[in-house]
């Protein structure tokens, strides 16, 4: 007969943390959220650490290059989605790596002779008030001038005028040469009392724009996740079909870490993919595997050589795998089982393999629960899809602003490789994800800072100021349905707050 586990499949919502002794050191400003992304041997350091325990999901509606830059700026990491051509994905990775901290690739560019009304429309569409004028209208063309929204008054100008009339020509611009450091560029900005400094090569072609505000922002983001060349660290998702072609292209593009995107990681195809990486690149290319839900799945991928392992099947907000196929496990139970296996593996082999909790997070405190149960970091889709930096549109539905969000197992995504079981069928035969809307939440930075504040505060309540310490000290208790109700506002009449205030 089938093996039947006696344990109930538990979710994050069924646990609460118990307070530990809070000492003088337990204040939020002392809390470090630094955590390993890749495996390491006992007594050694991981090759890559996150400064914030967040990675964005390998999804078309979540992880594009803008998300990768914004999240790396805050200390996390994005895995650029793989459900696109190899060339398109590699170009996204290149664009993130080209975007040095403080060095911005211009995405608002026009040619000489462009009508002002087109410039105004471009500014509205991109939200960027500085537009470059180049000989071919591209971000790498020969720089001819700049125009900002301070150079014209919409109510006073003729929209049919050409941009040449309003731009500051190259002769009057202060520019920096290729290879300038961010510190040197900042000196030029302050000495010349300008807000934008173009960086051009020896042929006069535009490379980057450096803004006064971005330099200040860089100083205000000391946790930015950077490589040795001060470029943002970025990941990329891959599948187990075209990896022989996709991985070399991504490595050539400068990707820092790979992650297999699959609904079921406990498979020979993931081992074959890891074997390919190890045979071609050795340990120099880092690759994560998953998803799994138990110790058997963890051990299989650990022995295969995975650098980190993702945990979770069927717990995502847009995932319907459990109702379609009846397969999966509650996220908390999955984490508990896999973490035990990870700790046993570390004792046996002396190799620590970080665990990524993927799915099941509804509230911010669920992130802390996932970390307390032993996860090293979390992967989130819905959380990040709400922000300006995700690739989808902001729409108005009724009186609310929303963003589109769809699962990789939906017909819209057509990401059949993620659910591939080794046959030759090239389309999804049934959906394992839905197409949906989620409330629009604004910029990533503001929301993520609030989430991190909650995590740090809770960790202090647990007597821990590092994630490793949280693993050791956390105490959790199961909760009843009644105690969940007790934990929310109850038996009162809530005031309606005037939105004007």
């Amino acid at each position: 007969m089938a093996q039947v586990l006696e344990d109930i499949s538990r979710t994050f919502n069924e646990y609460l943390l118990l307070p530990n002794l809070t000492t003088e050191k337990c204040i939020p400003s002392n809390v470090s959220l630094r955590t390993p992304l890749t495996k390491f041997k006992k007594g050694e350091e991981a090759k890559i650490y996150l400064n914030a325990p967040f990675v964005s999901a390998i999804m078309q509606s979540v992880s594009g290059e803008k998300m990768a830059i914004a999240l790396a700026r805050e200390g996390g990491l994005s895995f650029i989605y793989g459900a696109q051509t190899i060339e398109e994905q590699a170009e996204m990775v290149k664009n993130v790596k080209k975007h040095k901290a403080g060095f911005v690739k211009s995405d608002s560019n026009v040619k000489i002779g462009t009508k002002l009304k087109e410039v105004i429309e471009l500014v509205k569409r991109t939200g960027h008030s500085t537009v470059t004028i180049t000989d071919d209208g591209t971000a790498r063309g020969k720089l001819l001038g700049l125009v900002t929204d301070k150079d014209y008054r919409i109510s006073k100008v003729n929209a049919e005028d050409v941009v040449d009339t309003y731009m500051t020509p190259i002769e009057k611009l202060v520019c920096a040469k290729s290879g300038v450091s961010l510190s040197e560029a900042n000196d030029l900005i302050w000495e010349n009392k300008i807000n934008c400094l173009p960086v051009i090569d020896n042929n006069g072609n535009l490379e980057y724009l450096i803004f006064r505000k971005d330099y200040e922002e860089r100083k205000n983001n000391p946790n930015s996740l950077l490589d040795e060349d001060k470029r943002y660290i970025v990941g990329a998702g891959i599948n187990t079909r075209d990896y022989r072609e996709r991985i070399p292209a991504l490595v050539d593009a400068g990707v820092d870490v790979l992650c297999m995107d699959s609904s079921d990681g406990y498979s020979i195809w993931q081992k074959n993919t890891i074997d390919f990486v190890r045979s071609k690149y050795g340990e120099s290319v880092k690759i994560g595997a998953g998803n799994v839900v138990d110790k058997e799945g963890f051990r299989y991928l650990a022995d295969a050589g995975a650098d980190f392992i993702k945990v979770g099947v069927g717990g995502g907000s847009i995932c319907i795998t459990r109702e379609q196929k009846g397969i999966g496990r509650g996220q908390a139970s999955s984490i508990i089982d896999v973490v035990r296996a990870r700790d046993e593996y570390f004792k046996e082999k002396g190799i620590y393999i970080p665990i990524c909790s993927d799915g099941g997070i509804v509230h911010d405190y669920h992130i802390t629960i996932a970390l307390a149960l032993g996860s090293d970091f979390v992967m989130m889709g819905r959380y990040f899809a709400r922000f300006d930096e995700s690739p989808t549109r902001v729409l108005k539905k009724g009186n609310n602003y929303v963003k589109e969000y769809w699962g990789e197992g939906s017909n819209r995504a057509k990401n059949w490789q993620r659910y591939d079981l080794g046959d030759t069928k090239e389309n999804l035969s049934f959906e394992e994800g839905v197409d949906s809307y989620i409330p629009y939440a604004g910029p990533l930075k503001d929301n993520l800072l609030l989430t991190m504040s909650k995590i740090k505060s809770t960790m202090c309540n647990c007597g821990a100021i590092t994630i490793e310490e949280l693993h050791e000290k956390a105490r959790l208790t199961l909760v009843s349905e009644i105690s969940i109700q007790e934990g929310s506002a109850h038996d009162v009449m809530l005031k309606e707050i005037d939105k004007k205030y």
Side-chain angles (χ1 to χ4, degrees):
M1 64 173 288
Q3 178 184 0
V4 179
L5 302 183
E6 297 299 327
D7 293 341
I8 295 173
S9 188
R10 303 286 186 182
T11 69
F12 294 142
N13 218 42
E14 295 178 83
Y15 287 91
L16 283 176
L17 286 156
L18 298 178
N20 286 330
L21 175 65
T22 303
T23 63
E24 295 87 351
K25 71 175 184 179
C26 296
I27 57 175
S29 59
N30 285 341
V31 174
S32 168
L33 295 180
R34 186 172 183 262
T35 189
L37 176 71
T38 56
K39 69 182 179 184
F40 57 92
K41 293 180 180 179
K42 187 175 183 179
E44 298 181 359
E45 290 276 294
K47 181 180 178 181
I48 303 175
Y49 282 85
L50 300 171
N51 292 325
F54 312 105
V55 298
S56 63
I58 309 169
M59 300 176 69
Q60 299 163 44
S61 57
V62 179
S63 295
E65 57 191 83
K66 288 185 178 179
M67 179 62 70
I69 292 168
L71 186 49
R73 188 177 288 143
E74 303 305 322
L77 178 135
S78 284
F79 288 98
I80 301 290
Y81 67 89
Q84 56 181 323
T85 68
I86 294 172
E87 295 75 19
E88 289 170 334
Q89 189 184 24
E91 186 63 25
M92 282 191 175
V93 170
K94 286 179 184 177
N95 289 339
V96 177
K97 298 308 290 185
K98 287 177 183 176
H99 191 114
K100 290 187 178 182
F103 292 76
V104 179
K105 183 180 176 182
S106 176
D107 60 0
S108 298
N109 316 284
V110 297
K111 295 180 181 179
I112 285 286
T114 302
K115 291 183 178 180
L116 192 61
K117 65 180 180 182
E118 295 178 44
V119 174
I120 294 171
E121 289 171 2
L122 179 63
V123 169
K124 286 181 179 178
R125 187 167 67 251
T126 64
H128 301 142
S129 59
T130 299
V131 177
T132 67
I133 296 86
T134 60
D135 61 344
D136 59 1
T138 72
R140 289 288 294 157
K142 188 171 183 178
L143 182 64
L144 302 177
L146 286 180
V147 65
T148 75
D149 58 0
K150 293 181 175 62
D151 294 321
Y152 54 83
R153 291 174 63 189
I154 295 178
S155 61
K156 298 290 185 180
V157 299
N158 182 352
E160 296 297 322
D161 288 344
V162 293
V163 71
D164 319 27
T165 309
Y166 298 92
M167 75 177 189
T168 302
I170 183 69
E171 297 80 21
K172 294 184 178 180
L173 289 174
V174 176
C175 297
K177 287 294 184 180
S178 179
V180 67
S181 71
L182 191 58
S183 178
E184 291 168 341
N186 186 55
D187 289 341
L188 285 172
I189 286 173
W190 280 93
E191 288 167 6
N192 294 278
K193 300 179 180 179
I194 56 177
N195 291 314
C196 176
L197 177 72
V199 179
I200 57 176
D201 64 19
N202 292 332
N203 297 316
N205 295 317
L206 180 65
E207 288 191 339
Y208 302 106
L209 299 175
I210 300 175
F211 294 92
R212 182 192 295 253
K213 64 179 179 63
D214 285 340
Y215 182 82
E216 292 300 320
E217 184 176 335
R218 172 71 188 96
K219 284 178 28 179
N220 293 331
N221 288 284
N223 289 326
S224 292
L225 198 63
L226 307 174
D227 65 17
E228 60 274 10
D229 296 319
K230 304 300 182 184
R231 301 174 301 174
Y232 290 122
I233 289 179
V234 61
I238 61 170
N239 62 66
T240 56
R241 276 279 178 167
D242 64 7
Y243 60 87
R244 290 179 181 85
E245 298 76 37
R246 189 174 292 270
I247 291 175
L250 293 170
V251 171
D252 289 344
V255 75
D256 296 283
V257 59
L258 302 168
C259 184
M260 280 180 275
D261 181 26
S262 174
S263 64
D264 176 18
Y266 192 6
S267 75
I268 186 66
W269 295 285
Q270 293 224 350
K271 181 182 183 300
N272 292 344
T273 306
I274 297 172
D275 287 345
F276 170 80
V277 170
R278 296 294 173 244
S279 64
K280 188 173 179 64
Y281 301 103
E283 294 291 336
S284 65
V285 170
K286 301 303 180 183
I287 180 169
N291 289 16
V292 298
V293 297
D294 57 20
K295 62 183 180 181
E296 289 82 4
F298 169 85
R299 186 69 189 225
Y300 182 79
L301 294 178
D303 288 340
D307 286 293
F308 66 86
I309 294 174
K310 287 197 298 160
V311 177
V313 171
S317 61
I318 39 70
C319 184
I320 54 173
T321 293
R322 294 180 193 174
E323 69 178 58
Q324 288 280 57
K325 296 170 66 174
I327 196 164
R329 194 179 193 183
Q331 190 66 9
S333 295
S334 299
I335 293 296
I336 291 168
D337 200 1
V338 172
V339 165
R340 285 197 189 112
R342 188 267 313 281
D343 293 346
E344 290 171 3
Y345 193 87
F346 182 55
K347 289 179 182 177
E348 178 186 339
K349 304 280 189 178
I351 299 173
Y352 186 91
I353 302 177
I355 296 301
C356 170
S357 176
D358 177 17
I361 291 171
V362 179
H363 306 292
D364 283 354
Y365 82 87
H366 288 166
I367 301 171
T368 318
I369 296 287
L371 297 173
L373 289 173
S375 302
D376 296 278
F377 56 98
V378 298
M379 175 175 279
M380 298 185 289
R382 181 191 61 84
Y383 179 91
F384 290 112
R386 304 173 297 152
F387 303 144
D388 290 325
E389 294 82 1
S390 72
T392 61
R393 300 174 296 168
V394 177
L395 305 172
K396 192 170 185 180
K397 290 291 179 182
N399 293 323
N400 300 310
Y401 286 97
V402 298
K403 293 203 81 176
E404 296 175 295
Y405 181 47
W406 60 90
E408 290 299 293
S410 67
N411 283 329
R412 178 173 182 173
K414 292 184 171 60
N415 187 6
W416 67 274
Q417 295 96 332
R418 189 177 196 273
Y419 300 86
D420 181 31
L421 293 176
D423 58 19
T424 59
K425 193 168 184 179
E426 295 187 359
N427 292 294
L428 291 170
S429 57
F430 58 90
E431 290 186 292
E432 292 189 45
V434 299
D435 200 334
S436 65
Y437 298 110
I438 51 174
Y440 168 62
L444 176 146
K445 184 180 183 66
D446 296 344
N447 288 276
L448 197 62
L449 287 177
L450 178 60
T451 297
M452 287 195 287
S453 294
K454 294 178 183 178
I455 294 171
K456 290 179 178 181
S457 179
T458 307
M459 287 174 63
C460 288
N461 293 143
C462 294
I465 59 171
T466 67
I467 292 174
E468 183 180 10
E469 199 173 14
L470 182 66
H471 289 170
E472 297 170 355
K473 291 187 174 181
R475 298 183 299 151
L476 297 102
T477 180
L478 284 167
V479 296
S480 68
E481 186 68 33
I482 299 300
S483 64
I484 292 174
Q485 295 176 14
E486 181 186 60
S488 301
H490 59 91
D491 301 319
V492 294
M493 295 176 62
L494 296 180
K495 294 180 180 180
E496 297 231 358
I497 300 174
D498 190 330
K499 292 185 178 178
K500 291 187 295 184
Y501 299 100

